[in-house]
């Protein structure tokens, strides 16, 4: 009696990857979207040690002061704090050590050249585990905003929120008591 595997049967289609895949967000850098104007984003892998992964799975990470740096043709995540994992004892990691970003060399060159020539900043926006359980970080090329730009963005968001509320109230049927 042979085992039947549905994916190997004749005519079965392999599963497609889509946008509805499950990913567990560990941290979002909310201040980055306020301080900077995001021009381009890129998803990168991270080189981590075991205790860092365990700490990330608990949701302990701070991207507030983190930034990207290119050294010797490699991209690095600097200033990202992943606290020590309590159960790791002797084999723990340094909380603020530089972590290598896994990017293709062409992407590193393109990002580094744009950042250097145009005075842009490499900033992490989000850290998450993908559907396979691999830690990823979304890096962005950003341009710093001036104070008046920040105020303008806040005003536009307030106006949009008020308009959305008004439209929602207008389209809802009246309540009957």
């Amino acid at each position: 009696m042979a085992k039947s595997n549905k994916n190997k049967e004749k005519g079965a289609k392999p599963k497609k990857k889509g946008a509805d895949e499950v990913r567990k967000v560990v941290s979002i850098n909310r201040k980055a979207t306020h301080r900077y104007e995001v021009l381009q984003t890129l998803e990168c892998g991270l080189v981590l040690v075991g205790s860092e992964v365990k700490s990330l799975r608990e949701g302990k990470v701070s991207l507030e002061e983190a930034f990207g740096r290119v050294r010797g043709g490699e991209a690095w995540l600097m200033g990202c704090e992943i606290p020590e994992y309590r159960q790791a004892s002797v084999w723990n990691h340094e909380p603020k050590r530089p972590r290598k970003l896994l990017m293709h060399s062409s992407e590193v060159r393109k990002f580094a050249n744009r950042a250097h020539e145009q005075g842009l900043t490499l900033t992490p926006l989000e850290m998450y585990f993908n559907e396979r359980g691999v830690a990823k970080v979304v890096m962005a090329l950003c341009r710093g905003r001036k104070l008046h730009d920040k105020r303008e963005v806040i005003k536009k968001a307030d106006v949009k929120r008020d308009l959305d509320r008004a439209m929602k109230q207008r389209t809802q049927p009246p309540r009957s008591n």
Side-chain angles (χ1 to χ4, degrees):
M1 191 183 241
K3 291 182 181 179
S4 65
N5 190 346
K6 291 181 182 179
N7 286 340
K8 291 185 179 181
E9 290 178 3
K10 191 173 184 180
K13 294 181 182 178
K15 293 181 181 179
K16 292 183 180 179
K17 291 184 180 180
D20 59 343
E21 294 284 340
V22 177
R23 67 184 209 180
K24 182 185 177 226
V25 176
V26 177
S27 179
I28 297 174
N29 191 354
R30 297 184 194 281
K31 287 187 178 181
T33 54
H34 177 70
R35 292 179 181 162
Y36 302 104
E37 176 186 351
V38 176
L39 303 176
Q40 184 180 2
T41 62
L42 180 67
E43 181 184 75
C44 309
L46 284 164
V47 176
L48 300 171
V49 295
S51 59
E52 289 174 327
V53 176
K54 295 272 191 174
S55 199
L56 281 178
R57 290 207 185 277
E58 290 181 348
K60 296 179 179 177
V61 65
S62 174
L63 293 176
E64 300 288 320
E65 300 170 6
F67 58 95
R69 184 75 69 214
V70 177
R71 288 188 192 155
E74 296 177 338
W76 294 85
L77 182 64
M78 314 291 280
C80 174
E81 184 176 358
I82 301 175
E84 291 183 348
Y85 184 64
R86 298 182 88 192
Q87 287 81 12
S89 67
V90 179
W91 295 280
N92 242 322
H93 61 276
E94 250 184 78
K96 280 202 167 189
R97 74 175 185 89
R99 292 164 180 91
K100 186 176 176 182
L101 295 172
L102 301 174
M103 302 166 65
H104 290 285
S105 58
S106 60
E107 293 170 338
V108 172
R109 272 186 266 114
K110 184 172 71 173
F111 260 59
N113 288 342
R114 275 195 73 190
H116 183 70
E117 289 172 4
Q118 300 174 2
L120 304 176
T121 307
L122 273 172
T123 308
L125 297 181
E126 180 181 21
M127 191 176 285
Y128 63 92
F129 286 101
N130 68 1
E131 65 277 356
R132 296 185 318 155
V134 178
K136 300 282 186 174
V137 64
V138 177
M139 296 296 289
L141 268 176
C142 301
R143 178 180 295 124
R145 284 191 176 142
K146 305 283 189 238
L147 181 61
H148 60 86
D149 291 336
K150 292 178 189 177
R151 288 179 182 159
E152 187 177 317
V153 169
I154 291 170
K155 285 179 189 176
K156 285 181 182 179
D158 287 342
V159 168
K160 185 180 182 306
R161 190 179 315 113
D162 291 342
L163 284 173
D164 289 344
R165 282 182 189 157
M167 291 301 290
K168 186 177 180 181
Q169 288 176 354
R170 191 171 172 205
T171 58
Q172 289 181 346
R175 292 185 184 180
S176 60
N177 291 338

